[in-house]
Amino acid sequence: MNAPAINELPVVVIGAGPVGLAAAAHLVDQGIEPLVLEAGRTPGAAVREWSHVRLFSPWGEVVDPAAEKLLAPTGWTRPDPATYPSGGDWADLYLQPLADILGGRVRLGATVTGVSRAGRDRIVDADREQQPFVVHIAHADGHEERVFARAVIDASGTWATPSPAGGSGLPALGEKTAADRITYRVPDLKDPAVRARYAGKRIAVIGSGASAFTALAYLADLARSDDGVGTKGVWILRRGISGSTFGGGEADQLPARGALGLAAKAAVDEGHADAVTGFRTDAIERDTDGRVVLVGEDGRRPDAVDEVIVLTGFRPDLSFLDELRLGLDERLQAPVELAPLIDPNQHSCGTVYPHGHRELSHPEAGFYLVGMKSYGRAPTFLAMTGYEQVRSVAAAIAGDLDSADRVELTLPETGVCGGAGLFDASDVQEADGGGCCAPAPQLVQLGAPAPAGVAEETSTGGCCGS
């Protein structure tokens, strides 16, 4: 296949989540035909798996401008920009209508199993960039297919590959055999069967981010209810507790995210959850009653629990990209030019600088990681970041480098200092973040009365789950 034919090929977008569908909308806006391949049976399939969780970004920040432009002729109107959708709202009221407008450009039940250059494995240099991409697909009905593309945008997210409980990044010994007592998702406690699983039980929550806050707040609500008496959380933290542990609180420019941290703090202060700090899980065992015992690297063995909720983050699935030449940071598994901008080891307030096609590119010209997957293992991704990413990438593919390089992004400051929970000590000196951080760290007095002003019903969840 020669070069002129390549320009007539579609751009393959992997994933029909918020960022993947936004990429398709921007490509259409550029006059380029997209082909969106979604492994799930519905658009936003991953988002629907956390449909019960409320985003901490309002509607005004989770609708892509190009997508809204595409939807406008249908009479679609964005919900109140100041209100907060749940994952289910986001999928039903925005992602599904957007996929419907894109029509046959979106293929469901299509799992990408490999991406390469036509006739070129990763070793071959000769005429490499003159060859189209070849994408192998496994369909839900069992048949296989390959399609050719002028470029590939991987927006498949990280939802399908949660990180394990083990403190080393590997599954703890016994983690797989204890799978019947472990979940890697925030449970939907409005589901009667799920609620019965956790009600009145002792539950370990492993993690220190927004998902862990959400789980702690949900379990505290369950403990306060008539059918949840006796529910007790055990919060497992790999570091200590300081003033920044619960996020920015009222200083967070995303108020719902700040309220979420305050709700988690209230769960601890009210005694609905006990904190076990400086604990890195090494093994998961069963006691004589079949309950789960977490064993730390230091030999500690907290009292047994009935269930474990592991919320230690996500990581990208790179297995189907093995024949491409990727430039990935050795720590984050994010594009090498992007990694320094998002590295939680260094960014005291989670500041993300504007970035676009240049930071997202790889040695394999024409291939881009976008959305959650572009962040690799880094947390705190926001939908508006992904929307600006794909706007820039679509412009670059169209050859409009002036527009592609004109990256503009203004994000709410996180109010979270000291990175994303990567420090072990509770008294880490936090950088001067220009006013975005919470007050200087102070040790939290566990068991103290809940602070005034904590919202009774908090908005929870991240902005992109697919």
Side-chain angles (χ1 to χ4, degrees):
M1 191 171 294
N2 54 33
I6 292 177
N7 291 331
E8 298 172 6
L9 293 172
V11 172
V12 163
V13 179
I14 306 174
V19 177
L21 291 176
H26 281 280
L27 290 167
V28 170
D29 195 49
Q30 291 284 354
I32 299 172
E33 192 67 13
L35 175 60
V36 183
L37 302 174
E38 167 59 48
R41 296 184 178 275
T42 62
V47 173
R48 291 181 184 279
E49 291 194 29
W50 50 270
S51 61
H52 58 292
V53 177
R54 193 165 299 281
L55 280 71
F56 49 58
S57 290
W59 272 112
E61 296 175 0
V62 297
V63 173
D64 175 78
E68 189 167 10
K69 177 182 175 182
L70 199 60
L71 284 164
T74 70
W76 183 89
T77 56
R78 181 175 56 183
D80 183 350
T83 61
Y84 295 85
S86 66
D89 296 334
W90 205 14
D92 290 338
L93 303 180
Y94 169 60
L95 299 180
Q96 185 66 58
L98 180 54
D100 291 342
I101 288 298
L102 291 167
R105 299 181 175 107
V106 179
R107 296 188 189 177
L108 304 175
T111 301
V112 174
T113 59
V115 182
S116 186
R117 292 280 189 178
R120 305 289 188 275
D121 62 22
R122 67 184 296 163
I123 299 175
V124 179
D125 290 333
D127 299 323
R128 185 175 189 86
E129 293 189 9
Q130 283 68 54
Q131 307 307 313
F133 289 93
V134 58
V135 181
H136 283 211
I137 308 164
H139 291 273
D141 62 6
H143 84 276
E144 295 181 314
E145 181 187 8
R146 68 178 178 184
V147 298
F148 297 95
R150 62 185 287 186
V152 175
I153 300 173
D154 184 354
S156 59
T158 57
W159 177 255
T161 47
S163 296
S168 63
L170 301 173
L173 297 179
E175 184 169 345
K176 294 180 180 179
T177 58
D180 62 316
R181 298 293 185 97
I182 301 175
T183 184
Y184 299 86
R185 308 286 189 259
V186 175
D188 181 3
L189 298 181
K190 293 182 180 179
D191 182 318
V194 176
R195 192 175 183 87
R197 175 177 174 175
Y198 294 97
K201 303 293 179 60
R202 182 176 168 85
I203 304 122
V205 177
I206 305 177
S208 61
S211 294
F213 291 170
T214 303
L216 290 168
Y218 281 10
L219 292 174
D221 285 342
L222 179 59
R224 297 182 189 110
S225 67
D226 292 339
D227 63 339
V229 175
T231 304
K232 183 77 170 184
V234 181
W235 190 17
I236 306 296
L237 291 136
R238 293 174 179 171
R239 63 172 178 173
I241 291 182
S242 72
S244 65
T245 297
F246 299 96
E250 295 178 359
D252 198 317
Q253 289 189 17
L254 284 176
R257 181 172 54 191
L260 174 59
L262 293 177
K265 184 178 185 300
V268 175
D269 287 346
E270 293 174 9
H272 297 304
D274 294 328
V276 179
T277 61
F279 189 94
R280 294 181 176 273
T281 307
D282 184 60
I284 298 178
E285 300 176 353
R286 300 284 189 119
D287 67 8
T288 55
D289 296 325
R291 302 177 80 202
V292 175
V293 178
L294 302 179
V295 182
E297 291 179 352
D298 57 4
R300 279 186 289 165
R301 306 167 70 93
D303 291 343
V305 297
D306 300 290
E307 300 285 345
V308 181
I309 303 173
V310 179
L311 301 169
T312 53
F314 296 86
R315 54 188 59 179
D317 177 9
L318 303 169
S319 61
F320 61 90
L321 305 177
D322 197 47
E323 290 305 319
L324 296 179
R325 298 175 177 181
L326 304 182
L328 298 175
D329 179 75
E330 61 186 9
R331 291 170 296 175
L332 299 184
Q333 295 179 298
V336 291
E337 296 298 324
L338 175 60
L341 307 182
I342 61 174
D343 188 350
N345 287 289
Q346 306 197 17
H347 288 278
S348 63
C349 291
T351 304
V352 179
Y353 296 96
H355 62 274
H357 74 107
R358 295 193 186 278
E359 292 82 5
L360 299 169
S361 64
H362 294 268
E364 197 72 71
F367 176 82
Y368 302 91
L369 292 175
V370 300
M372 284 282 290
K373 196 165 184 177
S374 72
Y375 270 41
R377 299 193 184 197
T380 65
F381 180 84
L382 295 175
M384 64 181 84
T385 303
Y387 295 159
E388 182 62 7
Q389 286 179 342
V390 295
R391 185 207 62 78
S392 173
V393 167
I397 293 172
D400 185 357
L401 293 184
D402 286 341
S403 177
D405 288 337
R406 193 171 58 251
V407 181
E408 299 177 358
L409 181 64
T410 302
L411 292 176
E413 295 168 343
T414 68
V416 178
C417 299
L422 301 185
F423 300 106
D424 291 331
S426 62
D427 58 349
V428 175
Q429 294 298 311
E430 300 178 8
D432 178 3
C436 73
C437 300
Q442 309 226 348
L443 290 181
V444 176
Q445 183 178 358
L446 302 184
V454 176
E456 293 182 0
E457 181 178 347
T458 59
S459 300
T460 58
C463 282
C464 268
S466 71

